[in-house]
Amino acid sequence: MYRSEVPLYGDLVQLVDEVNAGAIANHQGFEGEELKREMEENRLKVERHGAIRVGKASELHTLRRLFALMAMFPVNYYDLSVAGLPVHATAFRPITPDSLTINPFRVFTSLLRLDLITDVRVRQIALKRLEKREIFRKETIALVEKAEAQGGLLNEEDAVMLVQHAMETFRWQSDALVEKEVYDELKEAHSLVADVVAFRGPHINHLTPRTLDIDAVQARMPEKKIESKHVIEGPPHRLCPILLRQTSFQAVQEPIYFVNPNSNKPGHDHKVLGFHRARFGEIEQRGVALTPEGVALYHRLMEQAEAELARISTDLKFAGAKPVDNATRQRVLQECFTAFPESWEELRARRLAYFRYVRSSQATRRPSLMNGNPQPIDMLIDQGLIRVEPIVYEDFLPASAAGIFHSNLGDLKHLQVQKSGPDREGFEQALGEKVVDGDALYQAQQLESMTAMLESMRTNMA
Ligand code: OOG
Ligand code: NI
């Protein structure tokens, strides 16, 4: 659906597939772990995330119930008000290793926070328009209720129907919910308010394929006539990739048809033509999930880099030059991140990242990388009896998300957003459930792999 709606997205996916095929061909492999590699390549072929924005609590609540039927659960709370955006968000995604391997589809879902809009009139218009809006088909609601009554299950026929009806909620609808004057007024307050309130549904605003080499894709975008966002968000290139790096292409301008207040008078067209920018493309490269210690080190180094970049940017402005370009940004980040370990073994030994522990098929002795006080498990790794595999970071980074939002909302000159801090409680109340803690999931995955591995060693010895 999205590919036919936004053809440029299809071009981007093609570019990503080309780059990924090259990266896989050059890959040295995981010590003969063919099966695992194959699984990861299959995952990579289908791996996407999308994003939607909803306007009211009941919409988020129904989305939660709908996604739960697809084994997608809200993970983490993201407060975007710190970046001047009147939304908070979560990401619906699979949470078990098995379902992540089949298809790790995630939907970054934002809820509008009208309480942060300072203009009382705009707030009231938005409330009134949203109140009457219904983004789900009645068939969707009926099937969700049916499934819930059957313990979360549907027969095949109903399941197919549910997907078909539910999909319509996310489709682009060029017929606006409001008149042009209302759209203009909402947009003046904040483009995000217009994007949510002026439409009949929460159109998917981007779908993001995962690449193994984001620098290559960014460099090759002009080849496909794709105008990329100017810098890559997140950490720099690393030999052992960490967390998440993202870049996007600019939103496309699309026609929309506003409600015509004079349409019942003779001689007036039914609709009023206008334009809106909402839908864009994005790519991402995912690395290892970091422990709280790793995340703290990441933030410390990012802060250092941002301070240095701010200094360079001021100098450039002074000299009348353009803003900091991607090459400069990456160079500064690289310099700051020399303080971040760049081998899996060190990341593991210093407990900065999460790993899966697996028994090795053949023990291969190798020189010890340990110093200090190695634990028994470290010695087994040293002796090659245990192998470790990085656990992929499956979530998002608020600072990068804010950068992506901003690059696609255009110039926010008339920013009227209160900085009132997060409202996790309000979000969870709307959701009807607490969000899952992403960190706890990685920790559990690491621990479970360790337990299973030790258990298998014990049975083997007995
Ligand atoms: C969501 C932006 C956040 C990401 O990848 O961080 C996001 C939006 O623009 O609605 O998708
Ligand atoms: Ni995204």
Side-chain angles (χ1 to χ4, degrees):
M1 180 177 92
Y2 198 68
R3 198 187 288 254
S4 64
E5 287 182 350
V6 183
L8 216 46
Y9 162 75
D11 298 346
L12 187 65
V13 166
Q14 202 188 347
L15 178 58
V16 167
D17 284 347
E18 278 168 39
V19 169
N20 286 356
I24 288 168
N26 290 334
H27 200 261
Q28 296 309 304
F30 306 99
E31 301 168 31
E33 297 299 312
E34 283 310 319
L35 179 65
K36 178 158 181 301
R37 238 180 92 175
E38 217 170 90
M39 272 161 37
E40 293 197 331
E41 281 179 41
N42 282 338
R43 168 180 156 157
L44 204 57
K45 281 187 206 130
V46 293
E47 181 159 359
R48 309 275 185 262
H49 85 249
I52 54 173
R53 306 158 181 171
V54 292
K56 53 182 178 184
S58 61
E59 293 173 346
L60 182 68
H61 192 264
T62 307
L63 281 174
R64 196 257 302 154
R65 294 166 60 200
L66 173 66
F67 285 135
L69 297 175
M70 298 170 186
M72 292 163 73
F73 304 98
V75 180
N76 289 350
Y77 171 77
Y78 302 102
D79 168 31
L80 291 150
S81 69
V82 283
L85 299 162
V87 290
H88 43 187
T90 188
F92 291 96
R93 69 165 177 89
I95 55 174
T96 64
D98 285 351
S99 51
L100 283 163
T101 304
I102 297 168
N103 189 336
F105 188 54
R106 322 168 181 82
V107 181
F108 193 94
T109 305
S110 305
L111 174 64
L112 189 61
R113 287 180 70 182
L114 284 175
D115 56 309
L116 299 188
I117 301 294
T118 40
D119 189 326
V120 181
R121 196 184 128 83
V122 167
R123 211 190 298 171
Q124 272 161 1
I125 296 175
L127 269 176
K128 197 162 139 258
R129 296 301 177 125
L130 286 170
E131 202 174 88
K132 283 184 282 179
R133 181 167 89 165
E134 179 53 69
I135 62 169
F136 301 100
R137 285 187 168 183
K138 54 181 188 328
E139 292 91 339
T140 306
I141 308 277
L143 284 164
V144 167
E145 281 168 359
K146 183 171 181 183
E148 284 174 348
Q150 299 175 168
L153 295 176
L154 288 175
N155 65 24
E156 177 126 16
E157 192 187 332
D158 282 345
V160 170
M161 289 312 282
L162 175 61
V163 171
Q164 249 165 37
H165 287 297
M167 195 177 78
E168 293 307 314
T169 294
F170 308 106
R171 188 187 289 285
W172 173 252
Q173 301 181 64
S174 54
D175 275 344
L177 184 69
V178 303
E179 301 79 11
K180 174 129 188 3
E181 296 65 45
V182 174
Y183 172 87
D184 289 342
E185 193 170 351
L186 296 174
K187 187 155 176 171
E188 186 79 2
H190 203 294
S191 337
L192 204 48
V193 179
D195 185 63
V196 175
V197 181
F199 291 86
R200 293 173 189 278
H203 40 258
I204 298 245
N205 63 45
H206 66 284
L207 269 190
T208 305
R210 174 176 165 200
T211 176
L212 296 173
D213 187 351
I214 198 168
D215 299 291
V217 180
Q218 171 95 349
R220 287 183 54 188
M221 278 206 223
E223 219 176 89
K224 301 267 179 196
K225 308 238 175 341
I226 303 173
E227 194 188 328
S228 70
K229 177 173 166 306
H230 151 128
V231 295
I232 298 175
E233 303 281 346
H237 166 81
R238 319 236 73 218
L239 291 177
C240 301
I242 55 171
L243 297 174
L244 176 65
R245 303 179 71 207
Q246 298 180 312
T247 182
S248 58
F249 67 73
Q250 303 297 319
V252 285
Q253 172 130 308
E254 301 175 273
I256 44 171
Y257 303 92
F258 292 106
V259 173
N260 184 351
N262 300 317
S263 69
N264 48 6
K265 294 185 193 150
H268 280 93
D269 276 351
H270 204 58
K271 297 282 174 192
V272 176
L273 176 68
F275 290 95
H276 182 70
R277 273 179 199 279
R279 300 184 308 155
F280 58 99
E282 183 191 46
I283 50 165
E284 64 188 11
Q285 181 169 3
R286 292 188 172 266
V288 71
L290 300 183
T291 62
E293 297 74 42
V295 170
L297 178 58
Y298 168 77
H299 283 308
R300 207 158 56 238
L301 300 179
M302 271 318 251
E303 252 164 56
Q304 268 173 28
E306 293 297 358
E308 172 64 10
L309 285 161
R311 199 187 55 69
I312 296 176
S313 168
T314 316
D315 288 354
L316 284 175
K317 246 181 245 148
F318 197 62
K322 284 193 281 191
V324 180
D325 60 18
N326 189 47
T328 312
R329 180 175 179 84
Q330 298 309 319
R331 179 180 53 75
V332 171
L333 285 172
Q334 289 274 10
E335 282 161 15
C336 292
F337 272 77
T338 48
F340 209 97
E342 197 147 38
S343 78
W344 295 129
E345 194 37 45
E346 199 181 344
L347 286 169
R348 194 202 62 81
R350 287 179 53 188
R351 312 287 186 257
L352 293 172
Y354 288 111
F355 291 88
R356 209 173 294 113
Y357 291 73
V358 241
R359 277 190 68 186
S360 200
S361 37
Q362 74 240 60
T364 43
R365 257 189 185 281
R366 41 162 228 202
S368 178
L369 293 166
M370 290 296 122
N371 41 33
N373 267 340
Q375 302 291 308
I377 200 152
D378 299 326
M379 290 190 259
L380 292 173
I381 291 172
D382 257 12
Q383 290 161 12
L385 291 166
I386 299 174
R387 199 163 39 77
V388 296
E389 293 165 353
I391 295 177
V392 175
Y393 184 61
E394 306 285 354
D395 297 301
F396 293 84
L397 297 173
S400 305
I404 301 282
F405 265 107
H406 276 293
S407 80
N408 286 286
L409 289 172
D411 230 357
L412 292 175
K413 280 196 286 285
H414 309 281
L415 203 64
Q416 297 178 14
V417 177
Q418 284 168 10
K419 296 226 164 117
S420 80
D423 178 20
R424 178 193 281 259
E425 222 169 276
F427 188 84
E428 291 180 332
Q429 207 162 8
L431 194 64
E433 209 176 84
K434 284 201 176 315
V435 296
V436 181
D437 175 15
D439 183 67
L441 292 175
Y442 301 120
Q443 217 178 311
Q445 219 180 310
Q446 174 170 284
L447 197 64
E448 275 160 30
S449 76
M450 251 188 220
T451 318
M453 186 244 348
L454 291 174
E455 188 52 38
S456 115
M457 284 192 142
R458 193 170 23 237
T459 28
N460 217 264
M461 277 187 242

